Amino acid sequence: MPNLPDVPLQGLYGDLILDHYRNPRHRTPVSHADVEAEEFNPFCGDRVILQFRLDGQGRIVEAGAQSEGCSIIQASASMLADIALGKSVAELERLSQLFRTMMRGEPSTGEAEDELGDLHSLQVVRQFPVRIKCALLPWTALEIGIEGFRSKNS
Amino acid sequence: MTTNVSGLDVARIREDFPVLHQMVNGKPLVYLDNAATTQKPQVVIDALVNYYTLDNSNVHRGVHTLSQRATEDFDMGRSKARQFLNAASDQEIIFVKGTTDGINLVAQSYARPNLGEGDDIIISTMEHHSNIIPWQVLCQEKGAHLLVIPINDAGELLIDEYEKMLTPRTKLVAITHVSNVLGTVNPIDQIVEIAHNRGVPVMVDGAQAVPHMAVDVQKLDCDFYVFSGHKIYGPTGIGVLYGKAELLEAMPPYQLGSEMIKSVTFEHTIYNDLPFKFEPGTPHIAGVIGMGAAIDYLNAIGLDRIDAYEHDLLEYGMECLSGIGGVQLIGTAPRKSSVISFVMDCAHPHDIGTILDTEGVAVRTGHHCAQPLMQRFGVPATARASLSFYNTKDEIDLLVKAIDRVIEVFS
């Protein structure tokens, strides 16, 4: 069903977000993941597990995102797993920074918006300050996962 | 305008609560998060303002006029709390920060010295985290067992199972009077009687009960009873621990400092009498005075009338919500206070909460600090509408309309 013209919701539940919520990508757990992390939001009981497997060139060839919680966390996790494929850990880190910059409401460039792809649709969450943490939870998990990956391989 | 079974003039009552008369997201506020905290009537706000404007002073210390006034109002706050619970004496009323603080006091000062390896503490499936964790950690430390009374699908305690759990190793039963998620009113008198037959004391978490019904601790015969001021239309940061005098007398102090002493030398301290033994430091004077004003306010309306009105509202709400396709009610005990928890097939509770908020409807969403209970019902979270005597059937209708909006967005 197309999104209703809803002024108060500011398009929070737009087509793209609801599509990722209803059909989350990469739900299958990854065996032998190189980068992985689980993160909770203790205030609402939300949970996300992120897993990535890298190829010989350090590119992500398999991604897994299992999330429990609201539409925003599920959409954010699904989009993150989707966009991660083919990227290196360093590229993903850069993307994480771009995403956080966008969620903080700081000005971003047109290229940054292109780079964020579907994730750009989550900027609407900024209008709902208490929900920003939902969108960020998978990214916090990502950063913890990368930190663990680095310390393991250093 | 008297339009309900209890004879409450709700339109008039609503005038007492300034916060209710505002627009939220362009809609009139419909405040249905009363189990989290209640709004404050003008008389409570005035009591706080008057204290700080005219009487601000420390209590039980100065001989000057302001200190005498503050002390008098503070002591009166204790008497009001004593009458509110029908405790036998003022010295059985210990001021604490709130329910959590009171439970921790009982855990540390009563249970800790009495609990040994292999002993048991009994709680229930429907406890708030604050009535789980203090016991869990204490039991782990002492090598004791934390036993949990199961519940049925309606959200009622299985009393037969509870009875079987009590053994000579049971040292305490810590149980909620009313569930903050399910609204279930537990049969405290029966629970106490069963425990006392085995010589086991009972601590009752009354946070969700006292706003809705008259509580008589002597009639219940419970050993400890705890509640928070902010859930009875008073300020945050203040609450009451009731304890039977003979138990409190025998307990060591919880925290140490001034006010709780009779005399101090560098070698030795003699503790003060009850209730001061458990109240070190300058107390939350404004909080006690504000809570006293809230108790006066509730008494003026009458808790029996509040109970009757809220029950009627609850029945209407349960009926309306159970009629919406895709909505499942969590907590359907016949004896229940005005809490309606629900989940929806199409949307997570947080999404429900956000959409309701855009319609001006404030509900709580999440695990309500009762994660084990969520696990029991197999849900990650619920949305919860909790009703007060200042809510109306019109507001329930607005809740229903807002829920329809959730279905519109998510279907």
Side-chain angles (χ1 to χ4, degrees):
Chain A
M1 177 174 155
N3 204 36
L4 298 147
D6 56 76
V7 175
L9 283 169
Q10 315 275 347
L12 177 64
Y13 298 111
D15 290 345
L16 209 48
I17 292 176
L18 284 186
D19 180 46
H20 276 272
Y21 168 54
R22 294 194 179 115
N23 313 297
R25 284 48 151 184
H26 313 290
R27 293 283 290 180
T28 319
V30 174
S31 47
H32 310 294
D34 298 293
V35 179
E36 64 183 329
E38 180 175 21
E39 183 62 350
F40 298 86
N41 181 339
F43 293 105
C44 48
D46 288 354
R47 187 170 85 121
V48 63
I49 300 170
L50 279 186
Q51 296 173 304
F52 299 113
R53 193 167 60 78
L54 307 176
D55 67 7
Q57 278 72 50
R59 302 237 154 231
I60 291 162
V61 286
E62 207 183 332
Q66 288 107 50
S67 56
E68 288 167 16
C70 65
S71 59
I72 305 303
I73 180 185
Q74 295 209 41
S76 184
S78 167
M79 290 174 186
L80 166 53
D82 218 15
I83 207 166
L85 283 176
K87 290 197 162 48
S88 69
V89 167
E91 284 166 350
L92 208 50
E93 240 176 345
R94 198 183 109 72
L95 198 71
S96 178
Q97 279 164 13
L98 288 179
F99 185 73
R100 284 188 183 272
T101 303
M102 177 184 83
M103 294 309 290
R104 278 196 299 266
E106 289 164 16
S108 63
T109 61
E111 294 97 73
E113 286 177 16
D114 289 346
E115 239 177 283
L116 284 166
D118 285 3
L119 287 162
H120 190 243
S121 65
L122 287 169
Q123 70 161 333
V124 63
V125 179
R126 286 209 317 260
Q127 313 295 321
F128 300 84
V130 295
R131 303 296 298 278
I132 291 175
K133 64 181 192 311
C134 312
L136 290 179
L137 190 70
W139 299 85
T140 306
L142 172 71
E143 285 149 18
I144 293 167
I146 291 176
E147 209 182 295
F149 169 73
R150 290 248 162 83
S151 65
K152 205 166 56 191
N153 291 287
S154 64
Chain B
M1 190 186 78
T2 303
T3 56
N4 54 73
V5 287
S6 60
L8 282 197
D9 186 348
V10 175
R12 168 71 206 79
I13 283 171
R14 288 180 69 84
E15 292 301 315
D16 296 335
F17 292 83
V19 81
L20 296 177
H21 308 282
Q22 63 178 297
M23 305 293 274
V24 167
N25 295 316
K27 308 277 169 67
L29 168 66
V30 176
Y31 186 79
L32 302 177
D33 194 16
N34 296 288
T37 197
T38 49
Q39 299 301 345
K40 317 308 170 199
Q42 191 64 50
V43 285
V44 168
I45 299 167
D46 288 347
L48 296 172
V49 171
N50 286 340
Y51 166 69
Y52 281 125
T53 310
L54 301 170
D55 302 334
N56 181 54
S57 187
N58 214 325
V59 291
H60 304 139
R61 282 169 178 71
V63 293
H64 58 79
T65 304
L66 261 55
S67 176
Q68 284 176 41
R69 271 194 235 142
T71 301
E72 201 171 297
D73 288 349
F74 178 81
D75 289 347
M76 209 182 290
R78 197 184 305 274
S79 299
K80 287 173 184 177
R82 191 252 305 154
Q83 285 161 13
F84 186 61
L85 293 179
N86 194 34
S89 86
D90 280 11
Q91 58 167 354
E92 295 180 318
I93 301 296
I94 313 292
F95 288 128
V96 290
K97 285 188 285 182
T99 306
T100 300
D101 192 32
I103 294 171
N104 275 278
L105 194 160
V106 176
Q108 296 306 319
S109 288
Y110 177 76
R112 176 182 286 276
N114 287 305
L115 193 69
E117 199 178 335
D119 285 343
D120 298 332
I121 287 178
I122 296 178
I123 61 169
S124 87
T125 307
M126 64 175 87
E127 300 309 319
H128 189 279
H129 291 167
S130 57
N131 200 29
I132 299 173
I133 304 165
W135 312 116
Q136 186 181 60
V137 171
L138 186 63
C139 286
Q140 283 165 357
E141 191 189 309
K142 295 276 189 171
H145 311 289
L146 187 64
L147 306 181
V148 184
I149 308 169
I151 60 173
N152 63 22
D153 290 340
E156 296 167 293
L157 294 175
L158 301 181
I159 297 293
D160 291 350
E161 297 297 318
Y162 159 61
E163 221 166 342
K164 282 184 230 156
M165 283 178 182
L166 284 152
T167 71
R169 304 303 315 249
T170 312
K171 288 294 183 286
L172 184 74
V173 176
I175 189 114
T176 192
H177 195 167
V178 170
S179 160
N180 68 315
V181 176
L182 309 168
T184 311
V185 180
N186 288 323
I188 295 299
D189 43 0
Q190 195 187 354
I191 289 165
V192 170
E193 197 187 337
I194 292 169
H196 284 184
N197 284 341
R198 318 281 184 95
V200 178
V202 179
M203 190 219 74
V204 181
D205 169 356
Q208 298 292 341
V210 284
H212 304 294
M213 62 190 76
V215 169
D216 182 334
V217 289
Q218 294 191 75
K219 211 162 134 198
L220 291 174
D221 199 25
C222 56
D223 302 275
F224 300 101
Y225 196 97
V226 200
F227 74 87
S228 300
H230 74 97
K231 301 219 198 261
I232 57 161
Y233 308 89
T236 55
I238 187 71
V240 167
L241 163 66
Y242 157 81
K244 284 182 178 168
E246 66 266 28
L247 291 173
L248 293 172
E249 298 277 12
M251 286 156 57
Y254 174 43
Q255 291 175 330
L256 309 170
S258 68
E259 189 93 2
M260 50 79 66
I261 52 93
K262 264 186 181 161
S263 90
V264 180
T265 65
F266 280 117
E267 291 73 35
H268 188 62
T269 294
I270 301 171
Y271 299 136
N272 204 340
D273 298 327
L274 291 174
F276 308 108
K277 183 171 85 174
F278 292 104
E279 295 178 357
T282 295
H284 186 4
I285 304 165
V288 169
I289 292 170
M291 183 167 68
I295 289 172
D296 287 343
Y297 182 81
L298 288 178
N299 287 338
I301 297 175
L303 275 155
D304 289 339
R305 290 208 301 169
I306 288 172
D307 193 0
Y309 176 78
E310 289 179 349
H311 191 75
D312 186 49
L313 205 57
L314 172 72
E315 277 194 348
Y316 181 72
M318 293 283 283
E319 197 185 306
C320 289
L321 263 69
S322 61
I324 307 174
V327 169
Q328 186 202 336
L329 298 173
I330 307 280
T332 51
R335 240 187 115 200
K336 177 174 156 105
S337 80
S338 53
V339 171
I340 308 173
S341 268
F342 62 99
V343 291
M344 295 177 71
D345 295 342
C346 66
H348 186 274
H350 289 153
D351 295 316
I352 299 172
T354 292
I355 294 174
L356 263 48
D357 182 58
T358 62
E359 300 293 315
V361 179
V363 297
R364 171 82 185 268
T365 59
H367 52 59
H368 314 289
C369 302
Q371 283 181 328
L373 183 62
M374 298 292 114
Q375 289 147 19
R376 164 63 179 79
F377 281 95
V379 294
T382 75
R384 179 188 70 185
S386 50
L387 315 172
S388 157
F389 55 82
Y390 48 57
N391 293 126
T392 65
K393 289 184 181 172
D394 288 347
E395 289 182 309
I396 303 275
D397 293 342
L398 289 171
L399 167 68
V400 170
K401 222 178 103 193
I403 292 173
D404 287 342
R405 178 87 176 105
V406 176
I407 296 170
E408 236 173 78
V409 171
F410 274 90
S411 60

